[in-house]
Amino acid sequence: MDREKYDKLVNTFFKWDQQSILTIFEELLSAAAAADAVPGAPVMSQNYETARENPEINILPGNLKDARDAIFPFFWGTESWNSPLHLENVRGPANHASLIGALACLLKNPNLCTDRYSQRSNELELKAITSLANLTFYHTQDPWGVFTIGGTISNFYGAKIGLERVLPGTMQNGLAASGAKVVGICSAAGHYSNQTIAGWIGIGTKQLIKIPTDENLSMRLDLLEAELESRYQSDCLVAFIVATFGSTDGFGIDDVAAIREIIDRVSRKYSKPAPQLHIDAAVGWALTFLTDYDLKKNELKMSEKLIEIVQRVQLACKSLQYADSITIDFHKMGRGHYPSSAFIVNRREDLKYLARSVSDTPYFAEATANRDPALFTLECSRPGIGPYTVMASLDGIGLMGWRMLVARSLELAQTLKDRLSQLNYCRVLNANTTGPSVNWWVLPKGRDANEIFDRLLAGKLSPADQQRYFNEIRRLYEKREMTADPARDAKLGFTTDYGFNPYGACIPAWKAVFFNPQTDDSVIDRIIYSLEDLV
Ligand SMILES: *Cc1c(COP(=O)(O)O)cnc(C)c1O
């Protein structure tokens, strides 16, 4: 081989040339800053037409600038979501402490499968997980967990432990071997990932039972109890209950303490193993920053209205201690980089349900369960982005910093709820949930949105009327989308089913989520103004 060419290649792509790397980083940073400076500016259109037809790669070795050029149009054509006008979903701008953590991680590129491949990065994972466990489980003795590539996977871990808990040996023998009937349970406002998981785990999506919610998007406890009774009576096993702590659209929170009491009591009555009580707190976990906030001292000078909300938040958060396991998406309300989702068990011993022996992971022959997640994780190679972004964010921003961020989100959501409540043609649907999101109806002027909603609740809305109103809600949303000024008007979201289903109806809603700390009251003013203009 041509040694000169080879050496040049290796020098370019593997030797540490700090200046070339820095130069390109600076260019990318400047480009990102330029894009941020013009909120709402249109991004490049996509070119899916030839993305498949034109897959050629360069023939000759290039340099780092070729690497830059290869990705730049796609980088430029992607929004950072840093604009305070983004309110459409549970996605925030990434915070810069997280950026520092993520960059540090990329520079070392640890693989968190075993201690030997990642040294102190594994320790960092343990520290980050324990910090999150202390926040969420409140008073926990012996938690353990791992970072995963998303809330879906974290929920998957919870469901899998549940399955092994009620049907030991399924990992080895398969579901069919036991011949048992087995279901999982979540609420109708739960995330669709629960369905994905029921399918992937092998119990089947049809065996995922969705318990209807009340008007506040909380799982109906009477219906949960009735469902458990009837399942156990027909000799069925319940592998897991996923309680949602902050539903994706309307921020419904299930009553974890009450669910714990019900599942323990009813399973004991039928001599069945209690299901795994897993909490899907992918969105809602961040409320736990407020659990111990001293409302009497009120160092952050919260308003009375906000204090009242935080009181309710604290009550909900304290019940998380009754859970077996939890899903936390730091990349949502933690405003961290993707992926930084965590799966945490309240008691470390529960990991035994996932354990593999060293003989099952032959190339980690030196592994010990203490330090080597590979002995129980679904994944083999695992990125370090989660621990690095989470610990940098937690310590960089600090507990009081996080309290300010979370409380401000709650305050903005409440402000929008209050403003919308003053409009006859609007109805706030999740008025009593304590989160950063607002779901509401907008109907044409002259309609009484509350009266229509009450008729829906009373079962007195004819199917034809219901359809007409629901169409109006959608049409007005689309009209606003068409007429909005992208430089000034917030981008809102729309859901076809916000999670409450009286008489089986799927209720559509407009949606706004306050994740961006730079969103301010003027953005809300504009939303109200745009509605007045629209209807
Ligand atoms: C986003 C979300 C998930 C899925 O998490 P990913 O990180 O997107 O995989 C699960 N549950 C809830 C409540 C969510 O909001």
Side-chain angles (χ1 to χ4, degrees):
M1 203 194 307
D2 185 330
R3 199 61 213 197
E4 211 173 298
K5 276 189 183 156
Y6 180 80
D7 287 345
K8 182 159 178 263
L9 177 75
V10 173
N11 283 341
T12 309
F13 290 102
F14 294 92
K15 276 252 166 73
W16 206 251
D17 177 356
Q18 193 143 324
Q19 199 46 55
S20 315
I21 296 172
L22 257 183
T23 304
I24 292 175
F25 264 24
E26 276 177 349
E27 290 167 353
L28 292 176
L29 276 171
S30 304
D36 265 16
V38 197
V43 288
M44 265 182 185
S45 59
Q46 286 152 320
N47 182 13
Y48 276 122
E49 290 82 0
T50 62
R52 275 161 62 87
E53 278 86 28
N54 246 339
E56 292 85 0
I57 58 174
N58 286 345
I59 303 285
L60 298 177
N63 55 31
L64 298 185
K65 290 181 193 168
D66 292 306
R68 174 200 65 192
D69 294 348
I71 51 88
F72 191 80
F74 309 94
F75 172 82
W76 185 251
T78 300
E79 263 202 85
S80 61
W81 276 61
N82 289 343
S83 159
L85 297 175
H86 273 301
L87 305 181
E88 54 266 61
N89 215 331
V90 289
R91 173 165 180 189
N95 81 72
H96 293 158
S98 174
L99 178 66
I100 302 293
L103 285 174
C105 176
L106 292 179
L107 293 177
K108 286 299 180 77
N109 199 29
N111 179 348
L112 303 189
C113 56
T114 78
D115 213 29
R116 195 160 79 86
Y117 295 169
S118 53
Q119 297 86 32
R120 291 206 76 185
S121 294
N122 249 26
E123 176 191 335
L124 183 65
E125 176 171 47
L126 185 57
K127 189 173 157 87
I129 287 286
T130 311
S131 305
L132 292 174
N134 287 340
L135 270 176
T136 52
F137 289 136
Y138 199 46
H139 292 135
T140 180
Q141 301 297 324
D142 191 24
W144 201 270
V146 284
F147 281 88
T148 76
I149 56 166
T152 304
I153 307 298
S154 294
N155 284 345
F156 193 61
Y157 276 80
K160 180 63 183 160
I161 290 184
L163 191 56
E164 293 296 323
R165 198 190 272 287
V166 302
L167 277 175
T170 302
M171 188 88 86
Q172 290 76 28
N173 306 322
L175 259 179
S178 70
K181 287 183 286 183
V182 52
V183 299
I185 293 178
C186 66
S187 90
H191 192 262
Y192 76 87
S193 58
N194 292 308
Q195 194 138 348
T196 309
I197 290 155
W200 284 52
I201 210 168
I203 65 172
T205 55
K206 289 179 181 159
Q207 268 63 251
L208 179 72
I209 315 297
K210 294 184 184 171
I211 307 291
T213 63
D214 62 22
E215 208 182 319
N216 296 326
L217 302 168
S218 297
M219 188 188 289
R220 285 264 306 270
L221 298 170
D222 55 334
L223 298 181
L224 170 67
E225 181 158 350
E227 186 69 44
L228 284 173
E229 287 273 351
S230 96
R231 291 288 155 180
Y232 287 145
Q233 276 163 17
S234 59
D235 208 27
C236 181
L237 290 167
V238 182
F240 55 86
I241 312 265
V242 176
T244 306
F245 195 81
S247 60
T248 315
D249 284 334
F251 218 87
I253 290 180
D254 290 336
D255 186 341
V256 178
I259 293 174
R260 170 97 270 160
E261 191 278 322
I262 291 170
I263 62 177
D264 283 357
R265 177 167 45 79
V266 181
S267 63
R268 209 177 313 120
K269 176 174 161 192
Y270 290 92
S271 305
K272 300 284 188 196
Q276 176 82 359
L277 176 49
H278 179 74
I279 312 299
D280 182 355
V283 191
W285 68 272
L287 293 186
T288 61
F289 285 120
L290 294 168
T291 312
D292 270 340
Y293 177 68
D294 187 336
L295 289 167
K296 288 216 180 68
K297 266 204 217 148
N298 192 19
E299 276 175 81
L300 294 176
K301 300 192 172 68
M302 294 183 187
S303 68
E304 247 165 66
K305 180 118 199 179
L306 189 53
I307 286 180
E308 189 265 317
I309 294 171
V310 173
Q311 255 163 352
R312 284 190 284 146
V313 164
Q314 293 183 336
L315 203 63
C317 288
K318 284 179 183 163
S319 75
L320 287 174
Q321 61 188 297
Y322 301 110
D324 292 318
S325 53
I326 193 167
T327 289
I328 291 172
D329 271 6
F330 203 86
H331 52 243
K332 285 181 179 157
M333 230 177 150
R335 290 88 161 182
H337 287 79
Y338 297 102
S340 50
S341 178
F343 168 74
I344 312 179
V345 291
N346 206 343
R347 288 166 306 274
R348 183 178 174 188
E349 59 173 321
D350 283 351
L351 291 178
K352 68 174 180 272
Y353 294 113
L354 303 175
R356 276 183 292 267
S357 69
V358 173
S359 65
D360 292 331
T361 54
Y363 55 93
F364 298 139
E366 75 282 19
T368 70
N370 263 1
R371 298 164 153 268
D372 301 320
L375 289 177
F376 66 86
T377 54
L378 169 68
E379 310 94 324
C380 178
S381 295
R382 290 192 308 122
I385 292 283
Y388 275 87
T389 55
V390 166
M391 217 56 239
S393 303
L394 288 179
D395 270 348
I397 292 173
L399 188 55
M400 273 301 180
W402 282 108
R403 285 176 175 163
M404 285 192 260
L405 290 173
V406 175
R408 179 66 179 148
S409 286
L410 298 177
E411 187 170 60
L412 284 167
Q414 190 58 45
T415 304
L416 179 59
K417 284 177 179 175
D418 291 345
R419 298 283 300 273
L420 289 168
S421 301
Q422 290 162 10
L423 304 172
N424 250 335
Y425 52 87
C426 289
R427 156 100 194 182
V428 176
L429 301 171
N430 64 337
N432 296 318
T433 64
T434 52
S437 46
V438 185
N439 294 167
W440 75 99
W441 277 358
V442 181
L443 284 154
K445 224 171 220 157
R447 294 229 192 279
D448 182 342
N450 286 323
E451 188 267 333
I452 292 169
F453 190 83
D454 289 343
R455 263 198 286 151
L456 175 66
L457 271 191
K460 289 187 179 143
L461 205 56
S462 74
D465 277 351
Q466 179 176 309
Q467 203 47 55
R468 186 169 68 247
Y469 296 136
F470 287 4
N471 287 344
E472 286 174 353
I473 293 163
R474 169 127 221 170
R475 221 182 40 244
L476 285 171
Y477 175 81
E478 283 163 1
K479 188 172 163 200
R480 182 182 178 277
E481 288 281 278
M482 309 253 282
T483 52
D485 173 355
R488 298 173 68 198
D489 285 314
K491 288 190 184 156
L492 304 174
F494 190 86
T495 173
T496 51
D497 177 4
Y498 82 104
F500 175 50
N501 313 102
Y503 304 98
C506 289
I507 303 179
W510 292 43
K511 167 172 159 180
V513 186
F514 293 94
F515 268 21
N516 192 315
Q518 299 191 75
T519 302
D520 59 17
D521 292 283
S522 73
V523 173
I524 294 178
D525 290 342
R526 276 291 298 184
I527 293 175
I528 299 296
Y529 175 83
S530 73
L531 296 185
E532 298 263 34
D533 230 24
L534 189 69
V535 293

